[in-house]
Amino acid sequence: MKSVLIFSKTTGFRHESISKGVQTVSRLLDESGINATHTEDASYFCTDSLSKYDAVLFLSTTGDILTKEQKVAFQEFIQSGKGYVGIHAASDTEYNWPWYGRLVGGYFSSHPAVQEATINVVDKNHPSTKHLQNIWIHRDEWYDFKDVKPGLNILMTLDEKSYQGGKMGKFHPIAWFQEFDGGRSFYTGLGHTNESFDSANFQKHILGGIFYVLKYN
């Protein structure tokens, strides 16, 4: 049985939706025959503990959350072929750790108010998007990103003409995947609200991302 560590430690802003997200992701994993462990204890990030898991999921983590030694253990975990999933504020995490920035694929820079927007699904050949139509109308908090890594495999982009306050222009990625440093990485900017975790489309999006990093495809 595969195992996923859900990690939601915060040292900055804390999302109200974390508990709902943990509950939802844990249920999705359980229903898929995947073992789920949730923690906010960074001491899990040592070689002995991480060796029990096939992927780590950062669920709206914020700020600096790992020590120098824990960072080394996490890098070695990814380099051993394991997986990383980032949801929403995972990109608002570890701004001073360049390796993590490349792993997640970009850093949060700003957002307007929660509102409905049009998502363009640009890659439907991925387990996280194959269930979606070409256009997905969804209500969430829409992140603008900085330091977006070149060469990411973009899954979905935002149509900034469909909502107020976007700052990235014509090319506004909101979900992507990549092979990175020996492992696999998937990130989605969705997941700010409690209600977003009730969306069947979003649940399948998350689960497909997990399946990708676990090499189920």
Side-chain angles (χ1 to χ4, degrees):
M1 178 183 286
K2 298 278 191 177
S3 296
V4 174
L5 180 65
I6 304 168
F7 188 53
S8 57
K9 180 179 178 179
T10 59
T11 60
F13 181 83
R14 185 168 182 86
H15 281 75
E16 180 189 341
S17 62
I18 285 176
S19 59
K20 178 65 175 289
V22 169
Q23 179 185 26
T24 301
V25 173
S26 297
R27 176 180 59 80
L28 292 171
L29 290 171
D30 181 65
E31 291 173 352
S32 300
I34 299 168
N35 181 59
T37 302
H38 170 241
T39 189
E40 298 201 344
D41 181 359
S43 69
Y44 271 71
F45 285 74
C46 66
T47 301
D48 287 348
S49 292
L50 286 179
S51 66
K52 301 173 184 176
Y53 299 97
D54 301 287
V56 174
L57 186 150
F58 279 38
L59 201 161
S60 282
T61 51
T62 56
D64 294 333
I65 52 177
L66 299 178
T67 66
K68 182 178 179 180
E69 292 77 16
Q70 290 162 357
K71 291 176 181 179
V72 170
F74 186 38
Q75 284 184 250
E76 291 175 347
F77 172 81
I78 296 297
Q79 290 163 351
S80 72
K82 302 297 181 69
Y84 164 86
V85 170
I87 296 178
H88 196 55
S91 60
D92 189 23
T93 301
E94 295 288 357
Y95 286 90
N96 298 311
W97 184 16
W99 181 89
Y100 180 80
R102 296 192 299 273
L103 173 71
V104 68
Y107 284 118
F108 161 79
S109 61
S110 62
H111 66 77
V114 172
Q115 59 194 296
E116 192 174 86
T118 297
I119 300 170
N120 295 310
V121 182
V122 298
D123 180 353
K124 292 176 65 177
N125 296 315
H126 193 268
S128 69
T129 51
K130 64 182 182 181
H131 64 286
L132 295 169
Q133 301 297 314
N134 292 334
I135 300 295
W136 179 15
I137 309 299
H138 180 71
R139 179 179 174 83
D140 217 312
E141 181 182 74
W142 304 112
Y143 275 9
D144 299 296
F145 300 98
K146 62 183 181 180
D147 302 329
V148 176
K149 182 184 172 187
L152 296 171
N153 301 293
I154 306 301
L155 292 163
M156 308 191 307
T157 61
L158 290 177
D159 179 357
E160 288 196 353
K161 291 180 286 186
S162 70
Y163 71 103
Q164 299 294 317
K167 296 181 179 179
M168 294 187 72
K170 291 183 178 179
F171 179 63
H172 188 146
I174 198 65
W176 53 76
F177 70 98
Q178 59 172 326
E179 294 190 3
F180 176 74
D181 204 14
R184 287 186 173 188
S185 167
F186 166 83
Y187 173 81
T188 181
L190 284 64
H192 174 79
T193 66
N194 282 314
E195 293 75 18
S196 63
F197 286 98
D198 290 326
S199 162
N201 276 337
F202 185 47
Q203 291 177 11
K204 291 177 182 177
H205 178 56
I206 295 170
L207 193 58
I210 294 169
F211 284 176
Y212 165 71
V213 304
L214 291 177
K215 303 177 182 176
Y216 276 15
N217 61 317

